[in-house]
Amino acid sequence: MLKKCQLTYRNYMKPNIVMVDVGKWPIFTLLSPQEIASIRKACVFGTSANEAIYITHNDEVFVFGLNCSNCLGTGDNQSTIVPKKLEALCGKKINNLSYGSGPHVILSTEDGEVYAWGHNGYSQLGNGTTNQGITPIQVCTNLLIKRVIEVACGSHHSMALSSDGDVYAWGYNNCGQVGSGSTANQPTPRKVSNCLQTKMVVSIACGQTSSMAVIDNGEVYGWGYNGNGQLGLGNNGNQLTPCRVAALHGVCVLQGGRDCGLPLFSHFCCQDPRWPEHEDSLTVAESLKKEFDSPETSDLKFRVDGKYIHVHKAVLKIRCEHFRTMFQSYWNEDMKEVIEIDQFSYPVYRAFLEYLYTDSVDLPPEDAIGLLDLATSYCENRLKKLCQHIIKRGITVENAFSLLSAAVRYDAEDLEEFCFKFCVNHLTEVTQTAAFWQMDGPLLKEFIAKASKCGAFKN
């Protein structure tokens, strides 16, 4: 049984939400250095990440981009490469921001107000209509007396969390993602009660058609679409009301992540005194182990390059098909095992396990290549996309040929083509790097032949 512990809340970066380093997103190259320096919060959206909204340190709100989704909130469908100010939101001190692929945008302010705009075919804007919102409009019904501290978007539904721990949901409800007990769409915010009635919710998250909530004692509840078992309930039936994720019993969850089934746990990769220091063990801290009745039967040990990492079995089963299959086929969950990993390096495998906990990846491009190989082997398609984004954003003249070589080695065709075009476009510079001269003969010949066909060597 999980003992009540003091939770700490950190500003974890959700997918598409960028706090400081906006330079990694190509769309921000349209801004001047002064404009970039003024940004304190930003959201990149659109099918090709070609639209953006950002908030400055002075609490001014700007949007710019191609406006392919008609979701810039400027009152028209015109694209703009020059940032346009959303006057209605300036000075509102926006503290939370979310984007749904419908698409629609929802945000909350420090005063607890909620604003929304964008597509509204299923009333995901919460104003009781299905009319598109071309400018930001305050979500009033049932929320005016509440101070909202967090918002989240599914593809066509929305959620809000109030400071007193209540959850409100509205919009598309074909899979029960609104949590009302039916599949009828919800045109205005409705309090999610049922099992959450007496609970204090501290964090919320949305998948495309699923929803999740974290309680102040670390419990996790999920509802909505569950066709692939993403709610972690042990079945693949849709859930019309909140249901506790029993597999996480004994795990203290701090905060939810996007796409559902992505909790942040309080006990990953800490020093454990039971293992010798020279082995550089990374395991569950002894102090955190006191939270559990029987932690040893809940964890698995991975040994990679002589270093140890403890991972909770529930995380592996819920988040990774590769391990879920292994559990079902031949692993005895009561066995105390050390899983030897020899096909991947320690930084790569540690990053993979951390991804299962946080749904984020923090690796240099060179290591992300190895993680791409792992993701391919484990059929983790979302991780593969993350790795390729990291590699593409991190390409430089110095590492371009190394990344090209690795892309060829791991048969990543899209990445190979990207690296090849980069090398051709910067041919003079990259041919003067050490990586170019260290490339093996056959690959170098193939590159020269392909570049020649592209006209790279014409006078």
Side-chain angles (χ1 to χ4, degrees):
M1 182 178 178
L2 178 66
K3 297 180 181 179
K4 190 169 183 180
C5 60
Q6 182 66 39
L7 297 181
T8 57
Y9 306 109
R10 287 173 279 177
N11 234 345
Y12 284 100
M13 190 174 73
K14 295 184 178 181
N16 288 345
I17 300 296
V18 205
M19 294 302 177
V20 178
D21 192 8
V22 296
K24 292 183 179 180
W25 294 92
I27 188 171
F28 283 98
T29 60
L30 297 173
L31 303 187
S32 68
Q34 292 79 12
E35 288 171 320
I36 291 177
S38 72
I39 298 174
R40 73 169 176 86
K41 189 187 292 286
C43 177
V44 177
F45 54 93
T47 54
S48 300
N50 51 19
E51 300 164 68
I53 176 174
Y54 68 88
I55 300 97
T56 69
H57 295 288
N58 294 327
D59 291 312
E60 293 183 315
V61 183
F62 292 89
V63 292
F64 67 106
L66 294 183
N67 205 18
C68 298
S69 65
N70 293 327
C71 207
L72 288 184
T74 55
D76 55 44
N77 59 1
Q78 299 298 311
S79 300
T80 175
I81 61 173
V82 177
K84 284 188 176 181
K85 187 183 295 187
L86 295 184
E87 297 286 356
L89 296 177
C90 290
K92 293 289 185 180
K93 297 183 179 180
I94 294 166
N95 61 4
N96 204 244
L97 181 64
S98 187
Y99 166 77
S101 59
H104 69 292
V105 176
I106 184 170
L107 54 81
S108 63
T109 71
E110 287 188 6
D111 292 332
E113 297 174 343
V114 177
Y115 291 83
W117 69 92
H119 288 233
N120 194 34
Y122 299 95
S123 300
Q124 56 264 47
L125 300 186
N127 57 17
T129 76
T130 55
N131 301 325
Q132 182 170 346
I134 58 175
T135 58
I137 299 175
Q138 186 175 357
V139 183
C140 297
T141 306
N142 295 333
L143 293 184
L144 282 180
I145 61 174
K146 293 288 183 177
R147 179 175 176 269
V148 173
I149 58 174
E150 186 175 358
V151 292
C153 290
S155 59
H156 298 87
H157 78 289
S158 308
M159 286 208 301
L161 171 64
S162 68
S163 58
D164 55 1
D166 289 337
V167 178
Y168 289 80
W170 61 95
Y172 199 30
N173 193 36
N174 64 324
C175 300
Q177 56 266 44
V178 169
S180 60
S182 74
T183 56
N185 295 341
Q186 179 62 37
T188 56
R190 175 191 179 278
K191 184 177 177 180
V192 182
S193 52
N194 199 268
C195 294
L196 299 183
Q197 182 67 40
T198 60
K199 305 288 186 180
M200 176 72 178
V201 177
V202 295
S203 184
I204 55 175
C206 288
Q208 294 284 70
T209 51
S210 304
S211 305
M212 277 194 152
V214 181
I215 311 304
D216 61 350
N217 63 0
E219 296 175 357
V220 178
Y221 286 76
W223 61 98
Y225 180 68
N226 192 38
N228 297 309
Q230 56 264 64
L231 296 183
L233 304 178
N235 59 56
N236 59 359
N238 293 347
Q239 182 65 36
L240 303 185
T241 57
C243 182
R244 184 182 174 191
V245 182
L248 295 180
H249 177 67
V251 179
C252 185
V253 179
L254 297 182
Q255 184 180 6
R258 200 163 178 268
D259 292 333
C260 277
L262 313 178
L264 301 177
F265 296 84
S266 66
H267 67 290
F268 177 65
C269 291
C270 303
Q271 186 69 34
D272 189 331
R274 297 179 303 169
W275 297 97
E277 270 189 32
H278 71 273
E279 292 184 326
D280 191 21
S281 58
L282 286 170
T283 63
V284 182
E286 201 64 39
S287 59
L288 288 172
K289 281 184 174 293
K290 294 177 182 178
E291 296 177 6
F292 307 99
D293 289 333
S294 183
E296 290 80 12
T297 60
S298 299
D299 297 336
L300 281 178
K301 296 186 287 288
F302 288 87
R303 183 161 59 205
V304 190
D305 296 340
K307 301 174 184 178
Y308 292 87
I309 309 171
H310 265 220
V311 179
H312 201 284
K313 290 181 182 179
V315 179
L316 299 177
K317 288 193 295 184
I318 292 172
R319 292 284 282 125
C320 184
E321 178 64 29
H322 172 80
F323 289 115
R324 184 158 55 245
T325 301
M326 295 178 74
F327 274 114
Q328 292 171 348
S329 58
Y330 60 84
W331 274 6
N332 182 344
E333 295 193 44
D334 293 326
M335 293 175 61
K336 298 178 183 178
E337 301 183 60
V338 174
I339 312 302
E340 296 280 357
I341 303 296
D342 54 16
Q343 66 270 44
F344 302 106
S345 69
Y346 174 77
V348 165
Y349 212 78
R350 185 185 188 281
F352 167 65
L353 294 175
E354 192 164 358
Y355 162 78
L356 297 184
Y357 276 76
T358 67
D359 196 43
S360 63
V361 175
D362 183 16
L363 276 178
E366 293 79 5
D367 285 333
I369 283 285
L371 189 57
L372 175 64
D373 182 35
L374 185 154
T376 302
S377 300
Y378 286 6
C379 298
E380 290 284 337
N381 291 330
R382 186 180 183 281
L383 180 57
K384 287 175 65 175
K385 292 179 181 179
L386 281 177
C387 291
Q388 293 190 63
H389 281 311
I390 291 172
I391 294 165
K392 289 178 180 180
R393 292 201 305 263
I395 194 169
T396 66
V397 167
E398 293 297 325
N399 67 18
F401 268 95
S402 298
L403 298 181
L404 174 62
S405 177
V408 172
R409 184 165 65 254
Y410 294 117
D411 197 27
E413 295 181 0
D414 177 63
L415 181 62
E416 178 185 345
E417 186 63 22
F418 177 86
C419 294
F420 171 77
K421 289 180 179 179
F422 182 94
C423 291
V424 169
N425 291 336
H426 302 81
L427 192 60
T428 302
E429 294 92 340
V430 295
T431 54
Q432 298 174 13
T433 64
F436 177 82
W437 297 107
Q438 292 170 0
M439 184 177 290
D440 63 79
L443 186 58
L444 183 59
K445 290 179 181 178
E446 183 180 344
F447 170 79
I448 291 175
K450 187 176 178 180
S452 179
K453 290 180 181 179
C454 294
F457 304 111
K458 288 182 179 179
N459 291 327

